[in-house]
């Protein structure tokens, strides 16, 4: 839900229901990274009501578009973290498998060298 | 389109990975993103837990609601949870949320017939779906199998009986803690420790030893070969300033400088067993994306404009 002005669409307050600090803080941070944004903050009016107000003021473009772009950037970051995590898990499992194999081969070759000595 | 994007892309490096425990590093991201991940892992990743209990016979020493509460807290393997529907959203059943698409049925029958006390455990819960079963905590590291019998629900004496039917549904930690898949999720800032070597050389060996010992956790140690103070485990540092206070007390402020890197985090995740630790992180990212999608798309609804239009017209005296 957007509360803004008809004449000036570069400043607006967005009221999100069923949301809390989880998404609001992340979106606020991403909005601050955007050079088009002059002011950005969020507040939760009452802790028992699941509603977040995010205020956005831009240098001229529509605030709604800026918010949508911020959400898009965050989603891209999430996607990237997911891919990176998947790859890291695979690498970790592969390196562990290699280590396990090396330990096995070292044990068997160690026995041989001890016998020869 | 925006101008220069300051967006950075995070990096992940895994330190340890077991079935129910994961430790990894997350670099090049902000605390708000790390905290969002942590909050979603604890409160919004869905799992399956017993939600409705029909008790036929209960002659044990615990009353019905006590046993129902304990049953709800038993962790169930929840790989299916992400693809399941919430009972309230299910249109296959007639609204009472007991069809095969949105719920899993369990039953338990126990009667003590011997003089020895019978332990009714989570292993006595039989599921209608073999992919959703109570988590097996058996440690295969050499214990006798009779010692690992599952979570004890209630103990029965001779003649006491417990017979019940339970329905398990999908839910999130926000509704009730029984649905939280995470035991603990923590993240800490990665510390950066710089030792001022020139100042360190002016100390005697005893002073160095007392400096090393002043830290409650073993962060520093004295290298036996070079007699120098070295950093042995930077992550054991708990951001108590004991070593800094000790340096000042010795009259040498600036002996060691410790910074917290603002964009580097070390996550420690322990899962209850309902979902694997690595899967927990992936599910959390998925849920975070869904929430962002909902925010992004809700801005396209026309009703806000209509409401707003009426309000605006009203305010303008229309």
């Amino acid at each position: 839900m957007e509360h803004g002005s008809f004449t000036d669409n570069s400043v607006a307050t967005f009221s999100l229901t069923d949301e809390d600090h989880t998404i609001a803080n992340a979106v606020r941070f991403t909005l601050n990274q955007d050079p088009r944004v002059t002011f950005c903050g969020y507040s939760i009016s009452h802790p028992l009501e699941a509603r977040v107000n995010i205020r956005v003021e831009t240098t001229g473009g529509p605030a709604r578009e800026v918010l949508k772009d911020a959400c898009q950037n965050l989603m891209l970051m999430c996607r990237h973290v997911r891919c990176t995590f998947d790859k890291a898990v695979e690498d970790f499992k592969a390196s562990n498998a290699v280590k396990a194999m090396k330990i096995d081969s070292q044990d068997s070759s160690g026995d041989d060298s001890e016998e020869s000595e | 389109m925006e101008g220069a994007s300051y967006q950075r892309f995070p990096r992940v490096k895994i330190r340890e990975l077991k079935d129910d425990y994961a430790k990894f590093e997350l670099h090049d991201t902000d605390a708000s993103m790390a905290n969002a991940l942590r909050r979603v892992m604890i409160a919004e990743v869905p799992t399956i837990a017993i939600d409705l209990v029909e008790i036929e016979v209960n002659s044990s020493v615990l009353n019905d609601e006590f046993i129902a509460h304990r049953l709800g807290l038993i962790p169930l393997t929840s790989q299916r949870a992400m693809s399941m529907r919430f009972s309230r959203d299910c249109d296959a059943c007639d609204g009472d949320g007991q069809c095969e698409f949105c719920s899993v049925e369990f039953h338990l029958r126990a009667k003590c017939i011997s003089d020895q006390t019978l332990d009714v455990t989570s292993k006595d819960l039989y599921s209608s779906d073999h992919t959703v079963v109570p988590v097996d905590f058996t440690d295969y590291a050499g214990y006798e199998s009779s010692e690992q019998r599952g979570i004890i629900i209630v103990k029965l004496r001779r003649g006491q009986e417990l017979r019940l039917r339970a329905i398990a549904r999908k839910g999130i930690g926000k509704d009730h803690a029984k649905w939280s898949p995470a035991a603990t999720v923590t993240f800490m800032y990665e510390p950066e420790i710089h030792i001022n070597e020139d100042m360190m050389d002016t100390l005697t060996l005893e002073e160095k030893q007392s400096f090393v010992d002043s830290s409650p956790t073993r962060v520093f140690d004295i290298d036996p070969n070079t007699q120098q103070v070295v950093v042995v485990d930077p992550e054991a540092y708990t951001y108590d300033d004991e070593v800094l206070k000790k340096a000042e007390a010795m009259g040498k402020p600036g002996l060691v400088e410790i910074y917290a890197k603002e964009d580097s985090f070390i996550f420690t995740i322990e899962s209850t067993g309902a979902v694997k630790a690595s899967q927990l992180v992936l599910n959390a990212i998925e849920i975070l994306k869904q929430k962002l999608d909902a925010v992004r798309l809700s801005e396209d609804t026309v009703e806000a404009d209509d409401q707003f239009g009426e309000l605006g017209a009203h305010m303008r005296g229309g």
Side-chain angles (χ1 to χ4, degrees), chain B residues 57-113:
Chain B
V57 176
N58 174 22
S59 44
S60 68
V61 291
L62 302 180
N63 47 13
D64 291 353
E65 55 268 27
F66 201 129
I67 294 181
H69 179 245
R70 288 179 67 81
L71 284 169
L73 293 172
I74 295 173
L76 309 172
T77 55
S78 310
Q79 278 78 29
R80 247 186 79 185
M82 284 295 275
S83 48
M84 246 169 104
R85 288 175 265 190
F86 288 103
S87 285
R88 53 180 185 262
D89 299 335
C90 185
D91 38 6
C93 54
D94 39 342
D96 58 353
Q98 293 187 28
C99 73
E100 55 176 4
F101 293 109
C102 60
S103 59
V104 181
E105 193 172 313
F106 289 80
H107 65 88
L108 184 145
R109 290 183 189 114
K111 187 181 170 92
C112 184
I113 37 185

Side-chain angles (χ1 to χ4, degrees), chain B residues 254-269:
Chain B
L255 182 60
V256 64
E257 278 173 6
I258 304 183
Y259 301 113
K261 282 198 233 158
E262 281 176 9
D263 59 354
S264 240
F265 307 98
I266 300 170
F267 271 81
T268 306
I269 297 172

Side-chain angles (χ1 to χ4, degrees), chain A residues 22 33 64 68 72-73, chain B residues 6-7 39 296 299-300:
Chain A
T22 308
Q33 301 298 99
R64 165 184 292 228
K68 277 201 242 182
Q72 186 71 26
N73 282 342
Chain B
Y6 297 111
Q7 186 179 25
R39 286 175 68 104
R296 204 167 56 102
E299 302 301 325
D300 288 338

